[in-house]
Amino acid sequence: MENRGKRKGSPIIGNKVWIGTNAVIVGNITIGDDVLIAPNAYVNFEVPSHSIVVGNPSRIIPRNNATDGYINRIVE
């Protein structure tokens, strides 16, 4: 969460999002559906659906079915 500036607030996380160990997500941003955030990624920007986010600084890699093989159980 950022407590000042244009991204003040908390992130909104979509459906079927896998967040890796030590990933950091900050600010009033939206993470779309079917997104994989790699371990140690730093995310402080909007992430579109069907994407993989890697690195620090992060970059977006568009990918259909980004979370296939990572999400084993979906609770409905």
Side-chain angles (χ1 to χ4, degrees):
M1 180 168 117
E2 287 191 24
N3 61 1
R4 61 181 166 255
K6 65 181 179 181
R7 289 188 308 262
K8 179 180 179 179
S10 301
I12 299 169
I13 309 295
N15 295 313
K16 289 183 66 181
V17 174
W18 187 88
I19 302 172
T21 304
N22 293 324
V24 177
I25 303 169
V26 294
N28 183 18
I29 61 172
T30 300
I31 307 296
D33 298 331
D34 184 37
V35 170
L36 186 146
I37 299 175
N40 299 311
Y42 181 82
V43 185
N44 64 347
F45 52 82
E46 303 283 323
V47 178
S49 295
H50 314 292
S51 300
I52 297 174
V53 181
V54 296
N56 183 2
S58 292
R59 63 188 173 101
I60 296 173
I61 302 169
R63 177 80 43 95
N64 287 332
N65 302 314
T67 56
D68 275 359
Y70 286 88
I71 297 178
N72 299 320
R73 234 178 32 181
I74 296 177
V75 179
E76 294 184 33

